[in-house]
């Protein structure tokens, strides 16, 4: 059995075409994985933000003032201010 130049060229072209197919398939899968991970990260960020919002909504003015770095004595002055405003 003799292998001709046409057989070698055909094999190289066939290998290149199949290689490109599998390369493209891998790139596509990589993009899908990246998109999925990005969507999961966004979902996690939204859930974390919901927890933060709930914590803040449950705080009174003094607790929020202290949490943001205020001095407790000055923050406690807020207790009477909220009741005096219309």
């Amino acid at each position: 059995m003799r292998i001709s130049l046409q057989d070698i060229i055909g094999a190289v072209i066939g290998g290149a075409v199949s290689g490109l197919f599998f390369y493209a398939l891998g790139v596509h899968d990589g993009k899908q994985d990246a998109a999925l991970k990005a969507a999961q990260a966004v979902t996690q960020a939204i859930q974390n933000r919901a927890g933060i919002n709930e914590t803040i909504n449950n705080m009174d003015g003094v607790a929020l003032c202290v949490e943001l770095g205020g001095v407790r004595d000055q923050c406690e002055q807020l207790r009477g201010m909220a009741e005096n405003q219309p």
Side-chain angles (χ1 to χ4, degrees):
M1 178 172 167
R2 185 170 179 202
I3 299 175
S4 68
L5 184 59
Q6 288 179 332
D7 292 335
I8 294 172
I9 292 173
V12 169
I13 292 174
V17 169
S18 65
L20 287 174
F21 170 75
F22 287 114
Y23 172 76
L25 184 63
V27 169
H28 176 72
D29 286 345
K31 288 180 182 177
Q32 291 290 344
D33 289 341
L36 178 62
K37 287 180 182 178
Q40 289 172 336
V42 168
T43 302
Q44 185 63 41
I46 290 171
Q47 289 174 345
N48 291 346
R49 182 60 196 200
I52 292 168
N53 286 347
E54 183 177 351
T55 301
I56 290 172
N57 288 337
N58 290 333
M59 289 181 164
D60 66 342
V62 176
L64 184 58
C65 177
V66 170
E67 185 69 26
L68 293 174
V71 179
R72 179 165 291 282
D73 292 339
Q74 293 174 347
C75 290
E76 287 181 358
Q77 294 175 4
L78 295 173
R79 286 195 199 274
M81 295 177 91
E83 296 167 0
N84 293 336
Q85 293 186 3

